[in-house]
Amino acid sequence: MDMFPGGGVMDTSCRKNVLRVKRNVELEPLERVDMDAVLKEGRMGFEKYALRCAVLRSLGITHECAKKIFLAGNCNVDRFLRLVDLNARQEALATAFREMEATAVQLHSMNVKSLSISLSDNRAWIKETCERRVPDMVCQCLVSTVIDHVFEPLQNIALTILYGDGVRDRLIPDWCNEYGLSGSQWEIPTFIIIRSETGRSFYVPAFCS
């Protein structure tokens, strides 16, 4: 499998490709898009490259799978990086959820609402539920793509939609600040957790677009 590179050494030889990412997406076939260059985009992109590769490796995402997710996000570099960087926070969020459960803290007390679908093999129904509940059409496409290409075909899938100002202010404030989504800049803060029966998860943020 064509996995992302490991280790902490960054290859800067494709720095010139970073400036061509958007042009490649618009004018060339998707298979020619340099995903390594995409991962080095954005603020402190080169510094974050190794971490982003590690996140994708930990999720079992190959270059080919990453390209499909990139395409599902309308080839929007910023949106793809938001997605990767949100998934870099999985462990911290999982710890926060465990602590909340241990101390009987309810999501609604944090101004967060949730909608959950238990583990099911009916992926079409899960996707339809997401489409009904989340108005962001790009997010709907991302969720569908992740379900189809990140998780094994026969695995049962569960879906949790978390929304409300507490998502922005209490659950992922550092991520929101990093991407300029604090205050009223993120209308109806929402993110979706897709989880398989093995416990493997993937997070997708939703916007009113």
Side-chain angles (χ1 to χ4, degrees):
M1 287 190 292
D2 184 18
M3 299 300 293
F4 286 89
V9 179
M10 272 183 274
D11 174 16
T12 59
S13 63
C14 69
R15 180 183 293 268
K16 62 181 180 295
N17 290 335
V18 174
L19 299 177
R20 297 207 307 260
V21 168
K22 294 179 179 63
R23 179 171 63 82
N24 284 344
V25 169
E26 293 170 358
L27 301 179
E28 299 188 21
L30 185 65
E31 60 266 19
R32 297 185 63 179
V33 173
D34 187 340
M35 291 309 299
D36 288 305
V38 171
L39 291 170
K40 293 176 183 179
E41 274 276 21
R43 181 173 172 269
M44 296 183 66
F46 276 81
E47 290 80 359
K48 292 180 179 180
Y49 171 71
L51 173 61
R52 287 168 173 167
C53 287
V55 170
L56 293 173
R57 281 199 316 275
S58 71
L59 295 170
I61 294 175
T62 63
H63 277 81
E64 190 61 33
C65 183
K67 287 178 183 179
K68 291 175 180 176
I69 295 171
F70 186 54
L71 176 62
N74 280 348
C75 299
N76 184 305
V77 173
D78 290 337
R79 183 146 195 169
F80 181 78
L81 296 179
R82 287 176 180 178
L83 184 76
V84 175
D85 291 347
L86 178 60
N87 278 280
R89 291 162 168 80
Q90 276 201 29
E91 186 175 347
L93 275 168
T95 299
F97 289 139
R98 285 194 296 269
E99 291 175 351
M100 288 168 57
E101 184 176 357
T103 56
V105 174
Q106 302 296 315
L107 282 173
H108 65 79
S109 69
M110 300 174 62
N111 202 14
V112 176
K113 298 178 182 179
S114 67
L115 170 69
S116 295
I117 301 173
S118 300
L119 286 168
S120 171
D121 61 355
N122 190 340
R123 296 189 175 195
W125 174 67
I126 292 174
K127 294 174 187 177
E128 289 170 4
T129 301
C130 181
E131 290 172 2
R132 290 196 303 269
R133 297 287 183 168
V134 179
D136 179 354
M137 294 180 66
V138 176
C139 177
Q140 296 169 14
C141 190
L142 283 166
V143 168
S144 179
T145 300
V146 167
I147 289 175
D148 288 341
H149 298 287
V150 174
F151 297 97
E152 295 296 327
L154 298 180
Q155 286 183 348
N156 289 338
I157 299 295
L159 192 79
T160 300
I161 302 172
L162 298 172
Y163 60 100
D165 289 345
V167 167
R168 177 193 61 225
D169 301 332
R170 303 289 296 277
L171 291 183
I172 47 175
D174 57 335
W175 180 85
C176 292
N177 288 333
E178 181 178 350
Y179 282 100
L181 298 170
S182 57
S184 60
Q185 293 169 299
W186 189 8
E187 186 181 357
I188 315 178
T190 304
F191 77 93
I192 294 101
I193 301 174
I194 309 165
R195 179 175 56 84
S196 75
E197 57 192 324
T198 64
R200 188 178 174 197
S201 299
F202 196 96
Y203 296 175
V204 181
F207 305 93
C208 290
S209 60

